[in-house]
PDB file of all heavy atoms in Angstrom:
ATOM      1  N   ASP C   1       0.805  -1.227   0.000  1.00 88.00           N
ATOM      2  CA  ASP C   1       0.000   0.000   0.000  1.00 88.00           C
ATOM      3  C   ASP C   1       0.841   1.281   0.000  1.00 88.00           C
ATOM      4  O   ASP C   1       0.277   2.378  -0.111  1.00 88.00           O
ATOM      5  CB  ASP C   1      -0.917   0.028   1.229  1.00 88.00           C
ATOM      6  CG  ASP C   1      -2.088  -0.931   1.085  1.00 88.00           C
ATOM      7  OD1 ASP C   1      -2.465  -1.223  -0.067  1.00 88.00           O
ATOM      8  OD2 ASP C   1      -2.612  -1.394   2.115  1.00 88.00           O
ATOM      9  N   ILE C   2       2.170   1.162   0.134  1.00 90.00           N
ATOM     10  CA  ILE C   2       3.016   2.357   0.218  1.00 90.00           C
ATOM     11  C   ILE C   2       3.228   2.932  -1.180  1.00 90.00           C
ATOM     12  O   ILE C   2       3.703   2.231  -2.082  1.00 90.00           O
ATOM     13  CB  ILE C   2       4.387   2.022   0.852  1.00 90.00           C
ATOM     14  CG1 ILE C   2       4.198   1.397   2.234  1.00 90.00           C
ATOM     15  CG2 ILE C   2       5.250   3.280   0.947  1.00 90.00           C
ATOM     16  CD1 ILE C   2       5.487   0.887   2.856  1.00 90.00           C
ATOM     17  N   PRO C   3       2.870   4.193  -1.424  1.00 91.00           N
ATOM     18  CA  PRO C   3       3.067   4.777  -2.762  1.00 91.00           C
ATOM     19  C   PRO C   3       4.554   4.930  -3.092  1.00 91.00           C
ATOM     20  O   PRO C   3       5.363   5.279  -2.228  1.00 91.00           O
ATOM     21  CB  PRO C   3       2.367   6.138  -2.666  1.00 91.00           C
ATOM     22  CG  PRO C   3       2.293   6.437  -1.203  1.00 91.00           C
ATOM     23  CD  PRO C   3       2.208   5.137  -0.494  1.00 91.00           C
ATOM     24  N   VAL C   4       4.888   4.659  -4.364  1.00 91.00           N
ATOM     25  CA  VAL C   4       6.277   4.733  -4.841  1.00 91.00           C
ATOM     26  C   VAL C   4       6.373   5.774  -5.956  1.00 91.00           C
ATOM     27  O   VAL C   4       5.621   5.711  -6.930  1.00 91.00           O
ATOM     28  CB  VAL C   4       6.756   3.366  -5.358  1.00 91.00           C
ATOM     29  CG1 VAL C   4       8.164   3.492  -5.975  1.00 91.00           C
ATOM     30  CG2 VAL C   4       6.753   2.337  -4.237  1.00 91.00           C
ATOM     31  N   ILE C   5       7.285   6.729  -5.761  1.00 89.00           N
ATOM     32  CA  ILE C   5       7.580   7.715  -6.796  1.00 89.00           C
ATOM     33  C   ILE C   5       8.970   7.392  -7.352  1.00 89.00           C
ATOM     34  O   ILE C   5       9.947   7.337  -6.593  1.00 89.00           O
ATOM     35  CB  ILE C   5       7.556   9.153  -6.253  1.00 89.00           C
ATOM     36  CG1 ILE C   5       6.162   9.506  -5.732  1.00 89.00           C
ATOM     37  CG2 ILE C   5       7.985  10.138  -7.329  1.00 89.00           C
ATOM     38  CD1 ILE C   5       6.064  10.907  -5.126  1.00 89.00           C
ATOM     39  N   PHE C   6       9.044   7.165  -8.659  1.00 88.00           N
ATOM     40  CA  PHE C   6      10.334   6.846  -9.276  1.00 88.00           C
ATOM     41  C   PHE C   6      11.147   8.115  -9.505  1.00 88.00           C
ATOM     42  O   PHE C   6      10.589   9.177  -9.830  1.00 88.00           O
ATOM     43  CB  PHE C   6      10.129   6.127 -10.613  1.00 88.00           C
ATOM     44  CG  PHE C   6       9.708   4.686 -10.466  1.00 88.00           C
ATOM     45  CD1 PHE C   6       8.425   4.265 -10.823  1.00 88.00           C
ATOM     46  CD2 PHE C   6      10.593   3.745  -9.959  1.00 88.00           C
ATOM     47  CE1 PHE C   6       8.048   2.953 -10.692  1.00 88.00           C
ATOM     48  CE2 PHE C   6      10.219   2.416  -9.820  1.00 88.00           C
ATOM     49  CZ  PHE C   6       8.945   2.022 -10.186  1.00 88.00           C
ATOM     50  N   MET C   7      12.454   7.972  -9.362  1.00 85.00           N
ATOM     51  CA  MET C   7      13.398   9.051  -9.707  1.00 85.00           C
ATOM     52  C   MET C   7      14.249   8.541 -10.867  1.00 85.00           C
ATOM     53  O   MET C   7      14.824   7.443 -10.790  1.00 85.00           O
ATOM     54  CB  MET C   7      14.302   9.393  -8.513  1.00 85.00           C
ATOM     55  CG  MET C   7      13.542   9.885  -7.293  1.00 85.00           C
ATOM     56  SD  MET C   7      14.643  10.413  -5.940  1.00 85.00           S
ATOM     57  CE  MET C   7      15.412   8.844  -5.510  1.00 85.00           C
ATOM     58  N   THR C   8      14.313   9.310 -11.949  1.00 81.00           N
ATOM     59  CA  THR C   8      15.028   8.864 -13.126  1.00 81.00           C
ATOM     60  C   THR C   8      15.736  10.022 -13.804  1.00 81.00           C
ATOM     61  O   THR C   8      15.262  11.163 -13.779  1.00 81.00           O
ATOM     62  CB  THR C   8      14.059   8.192 -14.136  1.00 81.00           C
ATOM     63  OG1 THR C   8      14.762   7.866 -15.322  1.00 81.00           O
ATOM     64  CG2 THR C   8      12.901   9.123 -14.477  1.00 81.00           C
ATOM     65  N   GLY C   9      16.882   9.702 -14.406  1.00 75.00           N
ATOM     66  CA  GLY C   9      17.605  10.713 -15.177  1.00 75.00           C
ATOM     67  C   GLY C   9      17.155  10.742 -16.608  1.00 75.00           C
ATOM     68  O   GLY C   9      17.637  11.552 -17.405  1.00 75.00           O
ATOM     69  N   LEU C  10      16.214   9.861 -16.980  1.00 65.00           N
ATOM     70  CA  LEU C  10      15.710   9.787 -18.355  1.00 65.00           C
ATOM     71  C   LEU C  10      14.252  10.213 -18.387  1.00 65.00           C
ATOM     72  O   LEU C  10      13.525  10.108 -17.407  1.00 65.00           O
ATOM     73  CB  LEU C  10      15.845   8.357 -18.895  1.00 65.00           C
ATOM     74  CG  LEU C  10      17.263   7.758 -18.864  1.00 65.00           C
ATOM     75  CD1 LEU C  10      17.204   6.288 -19.267  1.00 65.00           C
ATOM     76  CD2 LEU C  10      18.191   8.540 -19.781  1.00 65.00           C
ATOM     77  N   SER C  11      13.820  10.682 -19.521  1.00 63.00           N
ATOM     78  CA  SER C  11      12.410  11.049 -19.693  1.00 63.00           C
ATOM     79  C   SER C  11      11.781  10.245 -20.816  1.00 63.00           C
ATOM     80  O   SER C  11      10.869  10.705 -21.487  1.00 63.00           O
ATOM     81  CB  SER C  11      12.276  12.557 -19.973  1.00 63.00           C
ATOM     82  OG  SER C  11      13.015  12.903 -21.141  1.00 63.00           O
ATOM     83  N   ASP C  12      12.321   9.041 -21.029  1.00 63.00           N
ATOM     84  CA  ASP C  12      11.808   8.167 -22.081  1.00 63.00           C
ATOM     85  C   ASP C  12      10.384   7.711 -21.741  1.00 63.00           C
ATOM     86  O   ASP C  12      10.113   7.229 -20.638  1.00 63.00           O
ATOM     87  CB  ASP C  12      12.738   6.955 -22.223  1.00 63.00           C
ATOM     88  CG  ASP C  12      12.255   6.009 -23.313  1.00 63.00           C
ATOM     89  OD1 ASP C  12      11.975   6.473 -24.413  1.00 63.00           O
ATOM     90  OD2 ASP C  12      12.134   4.796 -23.026  1.00 63.00           O
ATOM     91  N   ALA C  13       9.469   7.839 -22.712  1.00 61.00           N
ATOM     92  CA  ALA C  13       8.061   7.514 -22.469  1.00 61.00           C
ATOM     93  C   ALA C  13       7.882   6.043 -22.122  1.00 61.00           C
ATOM     94  O   ALA C  13       7.076   5.695 -21.247  1.00 61.00           O
ATOM     95  CB  ALA C  13       7.224   7.872 -23.692  1.00 61.00           C
ATOM     96  N   LYS C  14       8.637   5.147 -22.788  1.00 71.00           N
ATOM     97  CA  LYS C  14       8.501   3.721 -22.499  1.00 71.00           C
ATOM     98  C   LYS C  14       8.909   3.412 -21.066  1.00 71.00           C
ATOM     99  O   LYS C  14       8.308   2.579 -20.396  1.00 71.00           O
ATOM    100  CB  LYS C  14       9.344   2.905 -23.477  1.00 71.00           C
ATOM    101  CG  LYS C  14       8.816   2.926 -24.913  1.00 71.00           C
ATOM    102  CD  LYS C  14       9.651   2.039 -25.810  1.00 71.00           C
ATOM    103  CE  LYS C  14       9.093   2.037 -27.240  1.00 71.00           C
ATOM    104  NZ  LYS C  14       9.911   1.185 -28.146  1.00 71.00           N
ATOM    105  N   GLN C  15       9.974   4.098 -20.607  1.00 70.00           N
ATOM    106  CA  GLN C  15      10.427   3.873 -19.236  1.00 70.00           C
ATOM    107  C   GLN C  15       9.387   4.357 -18.231  1.00 70.00           C
ATOM    108  O   GLN C  15       9.142   3.723 -17.206  1.00 70.00           O
ATOM    109  CB  GLN C  15      11.761   4.587 -19.011  1.00 70.00           C
ATOM    110  CG  GLN C  15      12.418   4.212 -17.697  1.00 70.00           C
ATOM    111  CD  GLN C  15      13.738   4.926 -17.484  1.00 70.00           C
ATOM    112  OE1 GLN C  15      13.771   6.161 -17.525  1.00 70.00           O
ATOM    113  NE2 GLN C  15      14.803   4.178 -17.275  1.00 70.00           N
ATOM    114  N   ILE C  16       8.751   5.478 -18.544  1.00 71.00           N
ATOM    115  CA  ILE C  16       7.714   6.009 -17.652  1.00 71.00           C
ATOM    116  C   ILE C  16       6.525   5.039 -17.575  1.00 71.00           C
ATOM    117  O   ILE C  16       6.009   4.744 -16.496  1.00 71.00           O
ATOM    118  CB  ILE C  16       7.257   7.400 -18.137  1.00 71.00           C
ATOM    119  CG1 ILE C  16       8.409   8.405 -17.983  1.00 71.00           C
ATOM    120  CG2 ILE C  16       6.034   7.862 -17.361  1.00 71.00           C
ATOM    121  CD1 ILE C  16       8.139   9.735 -18.641  1.00 71.00           C
ATOM    122  N   VAL C  17       6.129   4.500 -18.747  1.00 76.00           N
ATOM    123  CA  VAL C  17       5.033   3.525 -18.776  1.00 76.00           C
ATOM    124  C   VAL C  17       5.406   2.275 -17.977  1.00 76.00           C
ATOM    125  O   VAL C  17       4.596   1.720 -17.240  1.00 76.00           O
ATOM    126  CB  VAL C  17       4.671   3.158 -20.232  1.00 76.00           C
ATOM    127  CG1 VAL C  17       3.688   1.995 -20.263  1.00 76.00           C
ATOM    128  CG2 VAL C  17       4.080   4.365 -20.952  1.00 76.00           C
ATOM    129  N   SER C  18       6.661   1.831 -18.113  1.00 78.00           N
ATOM    130  CA  SER C  18       7.127   0.671 -17.362  1.00 78.00           C
ATOM    131  C   SER C  18       7.049   0.929 -15.867  1.00 78.00           C
ATOM    132  O   SER C  18       6.719   0.029 -15.076  1.00 78.00           O
ATOM    133  CB  SER C  18       8.564   0.321 -17.757  1.00 78.00           C
ATOM    134  OG  SER C  18       8.637  -0.033 -19.119  1.00 78.00           O
ATOM    135  N   GLY C  19       7.356   2.153 -15.453  1.00 77.00           N
ATOM    136  CA  GLY C  19       7.285   2.503 -14.040  1.00 77.00           C
ATOM    137  C   GLY C  19       5.879   2.401 -13.491  1.00 77.00           C
ATOM    138  O   GLY C  19       5.652   1.845 -12.408  1.00 77.00           O
ATOM    139  N   PHE C  20       4.896   2.905 -14.259  1.00 81.00           N
ATOM    140  CA  PHE C  20       3.501   2.794 -13.826  1.00 81.00           C
ATOM    141  C   PHE C  20       3.060   1.328 -13.816  1.00 81.00           C
ATOM    142  O   PHE C  20       2.305   0.901 -12.943  1.00 81.00           O
ATOM    143  CB  PHE C  20       2.593   3.629 -14.717  1.00 81.00           C
ATOM    144  CG  PHE C  20       2.742   5.112 -14.507  1.00 81.00           C
ATOM    145  CD1 PHE C  20       2.985   5.963 -15.578  1.00 81.00           C
ATOM    146  CD2 PHE C  20       2.647   5.657 -13.247  1.00 81.00           C
ATOM    147  CE1 PHE C  20       3.126   7.330 -15.392  1.00 81.00           C
ATOM    148  CE2 PHE C  20       2.785   7.029 -13.046  1.00 81.00           C
ATOM    149  CZ  PHE C  20       3.034   7.859 -14.119  1.00 81.00           C
ATOM    150  N   GLY C  21       3.541   0.570 -14.794  1.00 83.00           N
ATOM    151  CA  GLY C  21       3.197  -0.850 -14.844  1.00 83.00           C
ATOM    152  C   GLY C  21       3.753  -1.631 -13.670  1.00 83.00           C
ATOM    153  O   GLY C  21       3.173  -2.628 -13.236  1.00 83.00           O
ATOM    154  N   ALA C  22       4.903  -1.191 -13.160  1.00 85.00           N
ATOM    155  CA  ALA C  22       5.514  -1.868 -12.011  1.00 85.00           C
ATOM    156  C   ALA C  22       4.827  -1.523 -10.702  1.00 85.00           C
ATOM    157  O   ALA C  22       5.071  -2.163  -9.675  1.00 85.00           O
ATOM    158  CB  ALA C  22       6.991  -1.508 -11.927  1.00 85.00           C
ATOM    159  N   GLY C  23       3.971  -0.504 -10.704  1.00 85.00           N
ATOM    160  CA  GLY C  23       3.240  -0.142  -9.493  1.00 85.00           C
ATOM    161  C   GLY C  23       3.534   1.238  -8.966  1.00 85.00           C
ATOM    162  O   GLY C  23       3.026   1.625  -7.910  1.00 85.00           O
ATOM    163  N   GLY C  24       4.352   2.028  -9.686  1.00 85.00           N
ATOM    164  CA  GLY C  24       4.627   3.389  -9.253  1.00 85.00           C
ATOM    165  C   GLY C  24       3.434   4.298  -9.443  1.00 85.00           C
ATOM    166  O   GLY C  24       2.571   4.042 -10.280  1.00 85.00           O
ATOM    167  N   VAL C  25       3.388   5.364  -8.636  1.00 84.00           N
ATOM    168  CA  VAL C  25       2.274   6.299  -8.743  1.00 84.00           C
ATOM    169  C   VAL C  25       2.677   7.601  -9.432  1.00 84.00           C
ATOM    170  O   VAL C  25       1.822   8.382  -9.833  1.00 84.00           O
ATOM    171  CB  VAL C  25       1.686   6.625  -7.349  1.00 84.00           C
ATOM    172  CG1 VAL C  25       1.113   5.371  -6.707  1.00 84.00           C
ATOM    173  CG2 VAL C  25       2.735   7.263  -6.439  1.00 84.00           C
ATOM    174  N   ASP C  26       4.004   7.829  -9.556  1.00 84.00           N
ATOM    175  CA  ASP C  26       4.470   9.080 -10.157  1.00 84.00           C
ATOM    176  C   ASP C  26       5.959   8.934 -10.456  1.00 84.00           C
ATOM    177  O   ASP C  26       6.583   7.917 -10.118  1.00 84.00           O
ATOM    178  CB  ASP C  26       4.225  10.253  -9.197  1.00 84.00           C
ATOM    179  CG  ASP C  26       4.053  11.580  -9.937  1.00 84.00           C
ATOM    180  OD1 ASP C  26       4.424  11.649 -11.121  1.00 84.00           O
ATOM    181  OD2 ASP C  26       3.554  12.524  -9.302  1.00 84.00           O
ATOM    182  N   TYR C  27       6.528   9.954 -11.116  1.00 82.00           N
ATOM    183  CA  TYR C  27       7.965   9.936 -11.380  1.00 82.00           C
ATOM    184  C   TYR C  27       8.506  11.357 -11.336  1.00 82.00           C
ATOM    185  O   TYR C  27       7.779  12.334 -11.549  1.00 82.00           O
ATOM    186  CB  TYR C  27       8.263   9.290 -12.736  1.00 82.00           C
ATOM    187  CG  TYR C  27       7.873  10.142 -13.913  1.00 82.00           C
ATOM    188  CD1 TYR C  27       8.816  10.955 -14.553  1.00 82.00           C
ATOM    189  CD2 TYR C  27       6.564  10.155 -14.380  1.00 82.00           C
ATOM    190  CE1 TYR C  27       8.456  11.763 -15.620  1.00 82.00           C
ATOM    191  CE2 TYR C  27       6.193  10.956 -15.440  1.00 82.00           C
ATOM    192  CZ  TYR C  27       7.152  11.753 -16.070  1.00 82.00           C
ATOM    193  OH  TYR C  27       6.784  12.548 -17.125  1.00 82.00           O
ATOM    194  N   ILE C  28       9.807  11.470 -11.022  1.00 84.00           N
ATOM    195  CA  ILE C  28      10.497  12.751 -10.998  1.00 84.00           C
ATOM    196  C   ILE C  28      11.748  12.611 -11.866  1.00 84.00           C
ATOM    197  O   ILE C  28      12.479  11.628 -11.739  1.00 84.00           O
ATOM    198  CB  ILE C  28      10.916  13.140  -9.564  1.00 84.00           C
ATOM    199  CG1 ILE C  28       9.692  13.226  -8.648  1.00 84.00           C
ATOM    200  CG2 ILE C  28      11.662  14.472  -9.563  1.00 84.00           C
ATOM    201  CD1 ILE C  28      10.055  13.389  -7.181  1.00 84.00           C
ATOM    202  N   THR C  29      11.943  13.566 -12.745  1.00 81.00           N
ATOM    203  CA  THR C  29      13.107  13.515 -13.635  1.00 81.00           C
ATOM    204  C   THR C  29      14.267  14.290 -13.025  1.00 81.00           C
ATOM    205  O   THR C  29      14.116  15.432 -12.586  1.00 81.00           O
ATOM    206  CB  THR C  29      12.759  14.118 -15.017  1.00 81.00           C
ATOM    207  OG1 THR C  29      11.644  13.398 -15.560  1.00 81.00           O
ATOM    208  CG2 THR C  29      13.941  13.988 -15.965  1.00 81.00           C
ATOM    209  N   LYS C  30      15.439  13.633 -12.981  1.00 81.00           N
ATOM    210  CA  LYS C  30      16.654  14.281 -12.492  1.00 81.00           C
ATOM    211  C   LYS C  30      17.255  15.134 -13.611  1.00 81.00           C
ATOM    212  O   LYS C  30      17.191  14.735 -14.789  1.00 81.00           O
ATOM    213  CB  LYS C  30      17.683  13.240 -12.050  1.00 81.00           C
ATOM    214  CG  LYS C  30      17.221  12.296 -10.945  1.00 81.00           C
ATOM    215  CD  LYS C  30      18.335  11.259 -10.686  1.00 81.00           C
ATOM    216  CE  LYS C  30      17.911  10.236  -9.671  1.00 81.00           C
ATOM    217  NZ  LYS C  30      18.951   9.200  -9.456  1.00 81.00           N
ATOM    218  N   PRO C  31      17.945  16.226 -13.284  1.00 80.00           N
ATOM    219  CA  PRO C  31      17.949  16.882 -11.959  1.00 80.00           C
ATOM    220  C   PRO C  31      16.608  17.548 -11.692  1.00 80.00           C
ATOM    221  O   PRO C  31      15.917  17.965 -12.605  1.00 80.00           O
ATOM    222  CB  PRO C  31      19.065  17.916 -12.102  1.00 80.00           C
ATOM    223  CG  PRO C  31      19.080  18.251 -13.546  1.00 80.00           C
ATOM    224  CD  PRO C  31      18.723  16.993 -14.290  1.00 80.00           C
ATOM    225  N   PHE C  32      16.204  17.598 -10.442  1.00 78.00           N
ATOM    226  CA  PHE C  32      14.877  18.109 -10.118  1.00 78.00           C
ATOM    227  C   PHE C  32      14.971  19.281  -9.160  1.00 78.00           C
ATOM    228  O   PHE C  32      15.979  19.483  -8.480  1.00 78.00           O
ATOM    229  CB  PHE C  32      14.007  17.005  -9.512  1.00 78.00           C
ATOM    230  CG  PHE C  32      14.723  16.169  -8.483  1.00 78.00           C
ATOM    231  CD1 PHE C  32      15.027  16.663  -7.218  1.00 78.00           C
ATOM    232  CD2 PHE C  32      15.104  14.874  -8.796  1.00 78.00           C
ATOM    233  CE1 PHE C  32      15.682  15.899  -6.298  1.00 78.00           C
ATOM    234  CE2 PHE C  32      15.764  14.095  -7.854  1.00 78.00           C
ATOM    235  CZ  PHE C  32      16.053  14.608  -6.599  1.00 78.00           C
ATOM    236  N   GLN C  33      13.910  20.038  -9.143  1.00 82.00           N
ATOM    237  CA  GLN C  33      13.778  21.158  -8.213  1.00 82.00           C
ATOM    238  C   GLN C  33      13.163  20.662  -6.911  1.00 82.00           C
ATOM    239  O   GLN C  33      12.266  19.814  -6.908  1.00 82.00           O
ATOM    240  CB  GLN C  33      12.893  22.260  -8.810  1.00 82.00           C
ATOM    241  CG  GLN C  33      13.440  22.862 -10.091  1.00 82.00           C
ATOM    242  CD  GLN C  33      14.718  23.644  -9.827  1.00 82.00           C
ATOM    243  OE1 GLN C  33      14.844  24.329  -8.811  1.00 82.00           O
ATOM    244  NE2 GLN C  33      15.676  23.536 -10.764  1.00 82.00           N
ATOM    245  N   VAL C  34      13.640  21.180  -5.801  1.00 83.00           N
ATOM    246  CA  VAL C  34      13.126  20.761  -4.502  1.00 83.00           C
ATOM    247  C   VAL C  34      11.627  21.023  -4.410  1.00 83.00           C
ATOM    248  O   VAL C  34      10.857  20.213  -3.854  1.00 83.00           O
ATOM    249  CB  VAL C  34      13.865  21.485  -3.361  1.00 83.00           C
ATOM    250  CG1 VAL C  34      13.229  21.153  -2.012  1.00 83.00           C
ATOM    251  CG2 VAL C  34      15.333  21.111  -3.366  1.00 83.00           C
ATOM    252  N   GLU C  35      11.174  22.146  -4.952  1.00 86.00           N
ATOM    253  CA  GLU C  35       9.747  22.483  -4.895  1.00 86.00           C
ATOM    254  C   GLU C  35       8.905  21.425  -5.613  1.00 86.00           C
ATOM    255  O   GLU C  35       7.807  21.085  -5.165  1.00 86.00           O
ATOM    256  CB  GLU C  35       9.500  23.860  -5.522  1.00 86.00           C
ATOM    257  CG  GLU C  35      10.052  25.024  -4.731  1.00 86.00           C
ATOM    258  CD  GLU C  35      11.562  25.171  -4.880  1.00 86.00           C
ATOM    259  OE1 GLU C  35      12.142  24.487  -5.769  1.00 86.00           O
ATOM    260  OE2 GLU C  35      12.167  25.932  -4.114  1.00 86.00           O
ATOM    261  N   GLU C  36       9.428  20.912  -6.726  1.00 85.00           N
ATOM    262  CA  GLU C  36       8.695  19.874  -7.457  1.00 85.00           C
ATOM    263  C   GLU C  36       8.605  18.602  -6.628  1.00 85.00           C
ATOM    264  O   GLU C  36       7.538  17.975  -6.540  1.00 85.00           O
ATOM    265  CB  GLU C  36       9.390  19.576  -8.786  1.00 85.00           C
ATOM    266  CG  GLU C  36       8.685  18.471  -9.578  1.00 85.00           C
ATOM    267  CD  GLU C  36       9.489  18.012 -10.788  1.00 85.00           C
ATOM    268  OE1 GLU C  36      10.633  18.469 -10.964  1.00 85.00           O
ATOM    269  OE2 GLU C  36       8.958  17.173 -11.543  1.00 85.00           O
ATOM    270  N   VAL C  37       9.726  18.225  -6.015  1.00 86.00           N
ATOM    271  CA  VAL C  37       9.738  17.029  -5.171  1.00 86.00           C
ATOM    272  C   VAL C  37       8.732  17.169  -4.034  1.00 86.00           C
ATOM    273  O   VAL C  37       7.939  16.257  -3.759  1.00 86.00           O
ATOM    274  CB  VAL C  37      11.153  16.770  -4.618  1.00 86.00           C
ATOM    275  CG1 VAL C  37      11.127  15.576  -3.661  1.00 86.00           C
ATOM    276  CG2 VAL C  37      12.140  16.531  -5.746  1.00 86.00           C
ATOM    277  N   LEU C  38       8.750  18.313  -3.366  1.00 89.00           N
ATOM    278  CA  LEU C  38       7.829  18.541  -2.248  1.00 89.00           C
ATOM    279  C   LEU C  38       6.377  18.505  -2.706  1.00 89.00           C
ATOM    280  O   LEU C  38       5.501  17.950  -2.028  1.00 89.00           O
ATOM    281  CB  LEU C  38       8.150  19.875  -1.578  1.00 89.00           C
ATOM    282  CG  LEU C  38       9.478  19.944  -0.812  1.00 89.00           C
ATOM    283  CD1 LEU C  38       9.750  21.382  -0.356  1.00 89.00           C
ATOM    284  CD2 LEU C  38       9.448  19.011   0.399  1.00 89.00           C
ATOM    285  N   ALA C  39       6.112  19.117  -3.859  1.00 88.00           N
ATOM    286  CA  ALA C  39       4.736  19.160  -4.365  1.00 88.00           C
ATOM    287  C   ALA C  39       4.221  17.750  -4.654  1.00 88.00           C
ATOM    288  O   ALA C  39       3.085  17.396  -4.297  1.00 88.00           O
ATOM    289  CB  ALA C  39       4.666  20.020  -5.618  1.00 88.00           C
ATOM    290  N   ARG C  40       5.064  16.917  -5.284  1.00 87.00           N
ATOM    291  CA  ARG C  40       4.618  15.564  -5.610  1.00 87.00           C
ATOM    292  C   ARG C  40       4.474  14.711  -4.349  1.00 87.00           C
ATOM    293  O   ARG C  40       3.531  13.916  -4.219  1.00 87.00           O
ATOM    294  CB  ARG C  40       5.605  14.919  -6.591  1.00 87.00           C
ATOM    295  CG  ARG C  40       5.588  15.584  -7.977  1.00 87.00           C
ATOM    296  CD  ARG C  40       6.561  14.912  -8.928  1.00 87.00           C
ATOM    297  NE  ARG C  40       6.641  15.618 -10.195  1.00 87.00           N
ATOM    298  CZ  ARG C  40       5.859  15.394 -11.252  1.00 87.00           C
ATOM    299  NH1 ARG C  40       4.906  14.476 -11.167  1.00 87.00           N
ATOM    300  NH2 ARG C  40       6.010  16.079 -12.370  1.00 87.00           N
ATOM    301  N   ILE C  41       5.391  14.876  -3.414  1.00 88.00           N
ATOM    302  CA  ILE C  41       5.289  14.139  -2.152  1.00 88.00           C
ATOM    303  C   ILE C  41       4.010  14.506  -1.420  1.00 88.00           C
ATOM    304  O   ILE C  41       3.249  13.630  -0.976  1.00 88.00           O
ATOM    305  CB  ILE C  41       6.525  14.424  -1.269  1.00 88.00           C
ATOM    306  CG1 ILE C  41       7.754  13.718  -1.825  1.00 88.00           C
ATOM    307  CG2 ILE C  41       6.267  13.972   0.175  1.00 88.00           C
ATOM    308  CD1 ILE C  41       9.037  14.034  -1.071  1.00 88.00           C
ATOM    309  N   ASN C  42       3.735  15.790  -1.277  1.00 88.00           N
ATOM    310  CA  ASN C  42       2.538  16.229  -0.554  1.00 88.00           C
ATOM    311  C   ASN C  42       1.257  15.762  -1.240  1.00 88.00           C
ATOM    312  O   ASN C  42       0.269  15.394  -0.577  1.00 88.00           O
ATOM    313  CB  ASN C  42       2.537  17.747  -0.404  1.00 88.00           C
ATOM    314  CG  ASN C  42       3.555  18.222   0.624  1.00 88.00           C
ATOM    315  OD1 ASN C  42       3.783  17.551   1.633  1.00 88.00           O
ATOM    316  ND2 ASN C  42       4.187  19.372   0.378  1.00 88.00           N
ATOM    317  N   THR C  43       1.276  15.779  -2.589  1.00 88.00           N
ATOM    318  CA  THR C  43       0.089  15.326  -3.329  1.00 88.00           C
ATOM    319  C   THR C  43      -0.215  13.867  -3.026  1.00 88.00           C
ATOM    320  O   THR C  43      -1.360  13.494  -2.721  1.00 88.00           O
ATOM    321  CB  THR C  43       0.299  15.507  -4.843  1.00 88.00           C
ATOM    322  OG1 THR C  43       0.403  16.895  -5.133  1.00 88.00           O
ATOM    323  CG2 THR C  43      -0.869  14.910  -5.627  1.00 88.00           C
ATOM    324  N   HIS C  44       0.802  13.013  -3.072  1.00 88.00           N
ATOM    325  CA  HIS C  44       0.555  11.580  -2.889  1.00 88.00           C
ATOM    326  C   HIS C  44       0.355  11.211  -1.423  1.00 88.00           C
ATOM    327  O   HIS C  44      -0.349  10.236  -1.126  1.00 88.00           O
ATOM    328  CB  HIS C  44       1.702  10.782  -3.514  1.00 88.00           C
ATOM    329  CG  HIS C  44       1.686  10.846  -5.013  1.00 88.00           C
ATOM    330  ND1 HIS C  44       0.740  10.197  -5.771  1.00 88.00           N
ATOM    331  CD2 HIS C  44       2.473  11.534  -5.890  1.00 88.00           C
ATOM    332  CE1 HIS C  44       0.956  10.452  -7.063  1.00 88.00           C
ATOM    333  NE2 HIS C  44       1.999  11.263  -7.155  1.00 88.00           N
ATOM    334  N   LEU C  45       0.920  11.984  -0.517  1.00 88.00           N
ATOM    335  CA  LEU C  45       0.600  11.771   0.891  1.00 88.00           C
ATOM    336  C   LEU C  45      -0.864  12.103   1.173  1.00 88.00           C
ATOM    337  O   LEU C  45      -1.543  11.407   1.921  1.00 88.00           O
ATOM    338  CB  LEU C  45       1.520  12.620   1.778  1.00 88.00           C
ATOM    339  CG  LEU C  45       2.979  12.173   1.887  1.00 88.00           C
ATOM    340  CD1 LEU C  45       3.766  13.167   2.755  1.00 88.00           C
ATOM    341  CD2 LEU C  45       3.096  10.765   2.455  1.00 88.00           C
ATOM    342  N   ALA C  46      -1.331  13.188   0.547  1.00 87.00           N
ATOM    343  CA  ALA C  46      -2.744  13.563   0.720  1.00 87.00           C
ATOM    344  C   ALA C  46      -3.658  12.508   0.113  1.00 87.00           C
ATOM    345  O   ALA C  46      -4.707  12.159   0.694  1.00 87.00           O
ATOM    346  CB  ALA C  46      -3.000  14.928   0.075  1.00 87.00           C
TER     347      ALA C  46
END
């Protein structure tokens, strides 16, 4: 039941689809902004 957000240095669409297929709820592309990380974390915690 624990939500998983993937962190990746790639923005390949197939990789993103694979992440959702594996059970992830979201993804963050590296390098990332702290504000983006916080926003996605707060959204999925809510």
Side-chain angles (χ1 to χ4, degrees):
D1 285 334
I2 303 173
V4 175
I5 298 178
F6 285 111
M7 299 185 294
T8 175
L10 304 173
S11 58
D12 180 50
K14 291 183 179 179
Q15 190 180 56
I16 293 170
V17 171
S18 298
F20 288 127
V25 297
D26 207 344
Y27 72 96
I28 301 171
T29 303
K30 301 176 184 178
F32 44 73
Q33 299 293 321
V34 174
E35 291 77 11
E36 179 189 5
V37 176
L38 291 173
R40 292 181 186 271
I41 287 176
N42 287 325
T43 295
H44 289 289
L45 288 177

